[in-house]
Amino acid sequence: MTDVIKLTAAETAARITNGDLTAEAVTEAHLARIDAVDEKVHAFLHVDREGALAQARAVDAQRAAGEPLGPLAGVPLALKDIFTTKGIPTTCGSKILEGWIPPYDATVTRKLKEAGVVILGKTNMDEFAMGSSTENSAYGPTGNPWDLTRIPGGSGGGSAAALASYQAPLAIGTDTGGSIRQPAAVTATVGVKPTYGGVSRYGMIAFSSSLDQGGPCARTVLDAALLHEVMAGHDPMDSTSIDAPVPAVVEAARSGNVKGMRIGVIKEFAGEGYQAGVVQRFTEAVELLRELGAQVVELSCPSFSYALPAYYLIAPSECSSNLARFDAMRYGLRAGDDGTRSAEEVTALTREAGFGPEVKRRIILGTYALSSGYYDAYYGSAQKVRTLITRDFQRAFEQVDVIVSPTTPTTAFPIGERTDDPMAMYLADLCTIPANLAGNAAMSLPCGLAPEDGLPVGLQIVAPALKDDRLYRVGAAVEAAFVTKWGHPLLEEAPQL
Ligand code: GLN
């Protein structure tokens, strides 16, 4: 492994700016790494070699001309294949979008390009972001770089695996119920779900519009903050985008002080289903926060027990509506169009051939939950539960500044273990879903390795909406203390590929 690919994004950007490295050389090093390991990992669905090199050369030219460079100029990034990229295939992990070349860039894609970030390619994901393991991708699973026979989390497993295998120092994910945080937890990387509305959803293929949120993925808290500032901000193209300044996340990540902060531990995030080593590492992290001068408060959020069932009504309901646009007429695949069939028949054949089993399950479930006569019993009730969960958070945040919990109940499970058991798969998001339902900001960061299997454990931090900076303040403090105490799991113990 070359030294260049082991640098953080912040270091890489600094070395490009001061002329120590060229953006082109940095991109070449990462493309070489992709060539060397991605056959095994399968983090990428598409690598845009020429586009990446052209972006990198443009940054080098900018520097040569004496123009100022942005804080991440020339740094390579892996983009989840849910964001549209003009002229570059975008599949969302689905056969139904195979061969579709978007005619426009998502706002996030545009912002990255404007900042001089080098987009290496598009990463693997569960089809339409539905899943917790990346096994629902129509293009085959991704391996966890810690153990290639295990899942890298999902739906953004490709982005997390790209970071953990040093194929990119930065990545982008989306989080509807945990798809940024859960992959971060099981790969020892950092993932942030910003406050709902903090990052534009324009050009981010919709799964569940009231929950979906794009966010940064990185190997360090500071790198995530730098990316957060580049990708966030108000966008008139997204009606749910928040018209407020981006929280000062980089400043918070640089300060990293928790003295006097009140940290909540939720009683309900424990008990049956939690792996002993995960609980042990989490308990140690809470102890560490105390040592750093934080005040730890135990809290109860009784409605959180209903978060999973509420989510699995709301998300499928919204997806059944959002995915109606894949009708064989507008994008990608068209099956059975031999001149003898009606438009309805072609639509039905295309959806039958193009959607995988999990997507079909959710469309059927959602259509049922929204149908007249059942709406009040299912979707309506789930929305009421959502309000109760939001109120639980509001009450909790009257007493504490942030809440911490394990990100996932277990470490990475073996590929294939839960594919026939959707309920077991859904449990991977037990701790992450409440923050999506309430629209809060949340982060996962590495919290050591579980003693029983040597696999990464994630610490989740949740902050009130618009207080994303608190995640970075606490995250940076915990990260620094962990590194001093135990070393960084990814930098020191990650298995060689
Ligand atoms: N695993 C959850 C689901 O399957 C969350 C997915 C996500 O956050 N996109 O819906």
Side-chain angles (χ1 to χ4, degrees):
M1 228 194 285
T2 65
D3 290 345
V4 172
I5 62 172
K6 291 207 92 177
L7 296 175
T8 66
E11 288 161 353
T12 304
R15 287 177 67 167
I16 291 172
T17 302
N18 70 24
D20 213 21
L21 280 172
T22 64
E24 187 176 359
V26 171
T27 301
E28 296 270 20
H30 285 90
L31 290 171
R33 177 69 176 169
I34 293 172
D35 289 341
V37 302
D38 206 43
E39 215 173 307
K40 285 185 259 179
V41 179
H42 193 223
F44 285 92
L45 292 177
H46 181 85
V47 176
D48 181 23
R49 194 169 295 271
E50 290 316 310
L53 286 168
Q55 281 174 293
R57 286 185 199 119
V59 170
D60 290 334
Q62 216 181 321
R63 184 182 177 277
E67 291 168 33
L69 298 182
L72 288 176
V75 180
L77 172 138
L79 184 59
K80 189 176 182 181
D81 203 24
I82 194 169
F83 289 92
T84 58
T85 39
K86 188 175 179 180
I88 302 292
T90 300
T91 67
C92 218
S94 182
K95 282 277 178 230
I96 213 160
L97 278 175
E98 194 165 27
W100 182 56
I101 311 276
Y104 72 109
D105 277 333
T107 295
V108 164
T109 310
R110 175 177 60 75
K111 285 186 172 229
L112 292 171
K113 288 183 177 172
E114 286 169 1
V117 174
V118 173
I119 302 173
L120 293 170
K122 310 294 291 289
T123 56
N124 199 14
M125 54 181 286
D126 284 301
E127 185 175 7
F128 288 105
M130 298 174 199
S132 309
S133 68
T134 313
E135 292 166 293
N136 293 337
S137 167
Y139 303 97
T142 295
N144 187 325
W146 286 82
D147 174 350
L148 293 172
T149 69
R150 289 177 185 261
I151 60 104
S155 64
S159 284
L163 295 171
S165 56
Y166 290 91
Q167 300 188 60
L170 294 175
I172 283 183
T174 62
D175 195 310
T176 304
S179 285
I180 289 177
R181 289 162 286 159
Q182 185 254 3
V186 299
T187 56
T189 57
V190 179
V192 178
K193 182 199 94 68
T195 298
Y196 179 78
V199 168
S200 171
R201 291 187 298 111
Y202 178 72
M204 190 178 110
I205 297 170
F207 159 17
S208 179
S209 310
S210 76
L211 300 162
D212 297 342
Q213 190 55 207
C217 310
R219 289 191 294 259
T220 70
V221 172
L222 176 61
D223 284 0
L226 289 165
L227 184 55
H228 191 138
E229 280 200 355
V230 164
M231 69 190 290
H234 180 239
D235 180 12
M237 300 297 279
D238 170 3
S239 62
T240 58
S241 167
I242 296 172
D243 193 359
V246 178
V249 294
V250 172
E251 195 188 310
R254 290 195 197 278
S255 94
N257 183 354
V258 293
K259 235 181 220 109
M261 280 184 92
R262 297 161 307 161
I263 313 259
V265 174
I266 307 283
K267 226 169 54 194
E268 283 76 12
F269 283 142
E272 206 192 328
Y274 286 81
Q275 189 180 321
V278 169
V279 175
Q280 185 187 329
R281 290 293 178 242
F282 171 66
T283 311
E284 289 166 3
V286 173
E287 208 35 60
L288 193 77
L289 281 162
R290 248 196 217 109
E291 285 168 25
L292 293 171
Q295 181 196 341
V296 178
V297 182
E298 192 174 311
L299 298 167
S300 173
C301 290
S303 309
F304 284 15
S305 319
Y306 306 106
L308 208 64
Y311 172 87
Y312 277 101
L313 283 166
I314 293 168
S317 296
E318 292 184 11
C319 105
S320 71
S321 162
N322 273 325
L323 269 56
R325 63 169 61 88
F326 301 104
D327 57 2
M329 305 299 144
R330 288 179 251 220
Y331 321 88
L333 188 74
R334 181 177 297 169
D337 183 18
D338 59 6
T340 68
R341 293 189 171 92
S342 68
E344 280 84 358
E345 285 167 332
V346 171
T347 300
L349 284 171
T350 302
R351 287 167 71 85
E352 167 60 29
F355 288 139
E358 182 63 23
V359 172
K360 284 179 186 153
R361 173 167 27 245
R362 298 204 192 188
I363 292 174
I364 291 168
L365 222 141
T367 307
Y368 181 79
L370 289 178
S371 56
S372 107
Y374 294 105
Y375 182 97
D376 287 338
Y378 295 113
Y379 185 75
S381 303
Q383 289 291 23
K384 288 180 189 155
V385 171
R386 185 175 189 172
T387 303
L388 295 178
I389 289 167
T390 307
R391 285 192 194 144
D392 271 1
F393 267 124
Q394 280 165 352
R395 265 193 296 272
F397 286 127
E398 283 165 12
Q399 297 177 60
V400 296
D401 302 304
V402 296
I403 290 167
V404 293
S405 76
T407 308
T408 57
T410 70
T411 55
F413 45 89
I415 290 176
E417 188 187 83
R418 300 190 190 178
T419 33
D420 295 331
D421 186 353
M423 279 310 289
M425 189 71 86
Y426 297 169
L427 285 172
D429 299 302
L430 201 57
C431 310
T432 47
I433 280 174
N436 297 84
L437 290 171
N440 294 330
M443 168 189 281
S444 177
L445 78 159
C447 170
L449 305 177
E452 61 269 52
D453 55 19
L455 291 168
V457 175
L459 173 70
Q460 176 175 239
I461 309 169
V462 185
L466 295 173
K467 305 289 185 206
D468 306 42
D469 51 318
R470 289 187 196 167
L471 304 176
Y472 290 93
R473 182 176 307 279
V474 177
V478 170
E479 180 184 62
F482 274 173
V483 172
T484 313
K485 220 168 167 165
W486 297 310
H488 191 290
L490 192 56
L491 299 180
E492 284 153 42
E493 298 183 52
Q496 300 294 311
L497 285 167

